[in-house]
Each structure stands twice: as structure tokens, then as C-alpha cells.
Amino acid sequence: MKSSRRSEVWRMLAITAAAVLFTTTAACSSDDSSSGGESSAALPSDAFPGTAATGAPVRIGLINNEGGQAISQPENREAAEAATKYANENLGGIASRPIELVTCKNAEEPTSARNCANQMVEQKVAAVVVTSTGLGSILAPIITGAGIPYVTALGGSQQEITSDNSFVWTAGSNTSQAMATFAKQQGWKTAVAYSIDSPAATGSLTRMGGPAFRAAGLDFSLITIPFGTPDATPQVSAGLDKKPDVVLVYGESTVCTSVLKALNTLGSTATAISPQTCAAPEVVSAVGKAGVDGMKIFSSADTVSDNPESVLFRAVMNKYAADTPTSGFAVVGYQGVLGLVRATAGLTGEVTPQTVGNAIRSAKDVVLPAGDGITFTCNGQAVPGLKSLCGNQMIVLTMKDGNLADPTKVSVLAK
């Protein structure tokens, strides 16, 4: 394989893997509070207690997907930095000592990911926060193999969700299982999934999604859509022949747009459910507000409601990263860092990878930042068989007038 072709293959793999992974992240919305955007709820009085960290800094690694050709999200890093400043000035950092971020920008290609992981080992950080990536299968083994805790708000690779010393605050990698639970609660009987044709997406739906829906009592079919398909009408029409009660839409914004347009053109009455990418502004703009109205979006965060955690997120961002949009994916950086601070709140004395890991494992019912009241416990029992997952709930939001609104929680575990 020629080098240019090899680079293109890696680029496409990164795009599709990241697309699937990122679908579980932040609630993307406009700033129109009258139509389901960010609210103006009052900030809790104890939100900024002013307990400043002192003494020698604790070095914490931060790996962000940034600077690459496939996908670059500096806002994730900016939100992580904001959470760090907030913790250092108000929460006593970690073990009363200030956090010093050791940052590496992962260009979302294997060499860059490997270099970032090795840099964390060389820098002897106490833990590594990974914002979001499609290359966790490279990052996690190097970091955890060195005895360093690997923490993230969401994880998509097998290595991230099943490794010792890897901690994933949310159930974000189990989107399809949460959807199956939700579908059962609604009394639906037939589901059709329209997915981008990539190993990352179809593999997840085949391994976890299909079995979860069938276990929930639904007929389940998977129809693939090639990357970049401008008109998915033939594929969508074939799926609608099955008369589904619910349709899953998985993919990057082009696939989301083509599928949703076709569903509307063909007059589908099925409820559409999707991870976060299908609520992106470019999708809403292309499909139209009416075309996405009522769609259910599965996310790991609520950044739009009056919930105190959502209000705190917006306040922290306004104070420490005012130029960074609170819509989109920035919240994963905030969740990663502040989740670590909260999970290690009981840590005193020496701060090492071992003491940090032990503190995380012993913490119970930690409040997930921007999580609509969801908590996490990293004892390996949140989701059977996936010992690195610390949470078993996700957030479901409803599209209203082009915005996300009305967050509710759903478990990834069948009931």
C-alpha cells in the first residue's frame, strides 16, 4: 500500500471511529433559551467556595484530539483547562494541591497517539485524562501498562472499557444498549438501524446493539449507508418496508442528514433516535427544524437545562473559558477533569498513580459533572462484563424547535 493511500485509510478510520465515539457526548444547542437552548437558572450559592489549592502541584496528563486532519477539537482542551482552574481555585485541587496539566495534542492518527501515550509515561504523571478519541486502543494499553490511571468521560474501544486501571465515568460506549432499554420502555416492537458503513459503527451495533434490542423483545435490522452518501432514499425505503416503530440513525453529519431527509420525504411515522452527531447544527440546518422535531438524542451530558450541574458547567465555562462555546463537545473535557477531582476527593497525603487509582476505586456515588444527577462508582460492577465503566445511565434529550430539551435518564441495563 502506498504511503498516501495508507494515510487516507488511517484518516478515514479515525473519522468513523471518532464519529461513533463522539456521538455520546455533549448536548449541542443554540443560545435561544425560549426554544430549548441554554437556560438562565440561578447558580447555586456554594458553586464557587473559594477553597484554593496550595503547595507543590500534582501533574495530571491531558490528551486531546487536536491538530489532526481528520478531526480537531481544541474546545475539549479549553474546557478541561477551565475545570482545572475551577478546581484549583475552589475545590482544593487534588489532595489540597494544585493540578498542573501536562498536555499532549493527539492528531488522531496512530503515531501521534502512541507519542502522546509515551509522553505521559515519560513525564511520570499521576493520572491521564483523555477527552475523546477514536484511538483508545493505542492510548490505553501504554498508559495503563505503566501503572498510570487512564480516565475519560467516555470510552469506545475494548481496551478502554475492559482494562485494569482504566476508568470511564459514563456508560457512553453503550449507547445502543441504552436505546434498547428505552425502546422497551416505550413498548416498541420493531427497530431498524441506519448506520454509516464503517467497522467502528457496524461492529458496535452488531456486537451490542442488535443483541440488546432482541433481548428487549424487538425485531432488529441493520442497514448500512456508505460514508458521504448524499441521498439515502433507497436504503431508507428498504428499511421502512419492515414497518418499524423506531429507527436508529448512526453516523457523521452527512449520513445523518441524508437518512433524516429520506425519512421525512418517505413520510415515516417511526420515532427517530440517535446519538449526538445527528443533533449537530449543520444537520438541523440541512434537514430543517421540523424534520428533526421529536427526535430522541442519547448523550452523556446535559448542558442546557436548569439542573444545578448544567448551570455550574455554564458558569465555570463563562468564568474561565468565556470564548469557548458550551454547545458541542467541549463538555467531555470538563467532565473528564472535574470527574477526576470529585473521584479523588477523599485522597490525602502522597499523590501517586497508585494512590490516585485506589482513591477512584474506593469512591462511591460520585456526581457526574453536567450529568443531570447521574452518579458513578468505579468498582467494576456498574455494567457486567465491562469492568472499566463506572456508570450505567445515559441522558435522553428531545429535539424541540431545533434545540435539545427535556433531559431524562435511561439505564443501559435491561430491566
Side-chain angles (χ1 to χ4, degrees), residues 102-361:
V102 178
T103 301
C104 186
K105 298 176 181 179
N106 167 28
E108 281 300 291
E109 55 86 22
T111 299
S112 179
R114 193 170 293 108
N115 287 342
C116 278
N118 286 329
Q119 179 180 322
M120 297 297 114
V121 177
E122 293 166 2
Q123 293 291 323
K124 298 180 179 180
V125 297
V128 176
V129 174
V130 178
T131 58
S132 53
T133 182
L135 297 174
S137 59
I138 294 175
L139 294 170
I142 296 173
I143 293 168
T144 60
I148 301 172
Y150 177 107
V151 304
T152 181
L154 60 146
S157 71
Q158 191 74 5
Q159 290 82 353
E160 289 172 290
I161 63 179
T162 61
S163 297
D164 291 330
N165 231 23
S166 178
F167 305 97
V168 183
W169 303 149
T170 74
S173 62
N174 286 270
T175 307
S176 57
Q177 290 176 283
M179 289 177 171
T181 299
F182 184 78
K184 182 178 180 179
Q185 292 171 351
Q186 305 307 306
W188 295 328
K189 299 301 182 184
T190 304
V192 172
Y194 298 105
S195 172
I196 185 172
D197 190 5
S198 77
T202 58
S204 174
L205 286 168
T206 300
R207 290 192 308 272
M208 295 190 291
F213 273 87
R214 295 182 185 106
L218 283 84
D219 292 329
F220 178 86
S221 301
L222 173 61
I223 295 177
T224 58
I225 312 291
F227 179 83
T229 296
D231 182 5
T233 301
Q235 295 95 330
V236 171
S237 179
L240 293 182
D241 286 344
K242 301 180 183 297
K243 302 187 183 330
D245 301 305
V246 57
V247 295
L248 290 67
V249 187
Y250 261 70
E252 43 70 56
S253 58
T254 303
V255 166
C256 289
T257 298
S258 62
V259 171
L260 291 171
K261 280 186 173 181
L263 287 170
N264 283 283
T265 298
L266 295 170
S268 171
T269 58
T271 300
I273 62 178
S274 172
Q276 189 64 39
T277 46
C278 291
E282 62 268 25
V283 176
V284 176
S285 176
V287 178
K289 294 180 179 179
V292 298
D293 194 54
M295 182 167 62
K296 302 296 183 180
I297 300 297
F298 288 69
S299 175
S300 69
D302 159 33
T303 66
V304 299
S305 78
D306 291 347
N307 183 279
E309 282 296 323
S310 181
V311 177
L312 177 62
F313 166 68
R314 297 193 297 270
V316 169
M317 293 298 291
N318 184 60
K319 181 175 178 64
Y320 297 107
D323 294 332
T324 301
T326 56
S327 61
F329 302 119
V331 73
V332 297
Y334 172 88
Q335 286 184 313
V337 169
L338 190 54
L340 175 62
V341 171
R342 291 178 176 178
T344 57
L347 178 59
T348 59
E350 189 176 8
V351 181
T352 67
Q354 183 175 3
T355 61
V356 168
N358 289 341
I360 295 172
R361 291 185 192 92

Side-chain angles (χ1 to χ4, degrees), residues 65-121:
N65 51 312
E66 186 171 354
Q69 293 182 348
I71 191 164
S72 180
Q73 295 177 310
E75 64 270 23
N76 299 354
R77 170 182 49 79
E78 293 163 1
E81 292 168 347
T84 299
K85 293 175 183 177
Y86 169 68
N88 285 344
E89 293 183 7
N90 295 279
L91 306 179
I94 292 178
S96 299
R97 292 164 52 184
I99 300 166
E100 176 189 336
L101 289 181
V102 178
T103 301
C104 186
K105 298 176 181 179
N106 167 28
E108 281 300 291
E109 55 86 22
T111 299
S112 179
R114 193 170 293 108
N115 287 342
C116 278
N118 286 329
Q119 179 180 322
M120 297 297 114
V121 177

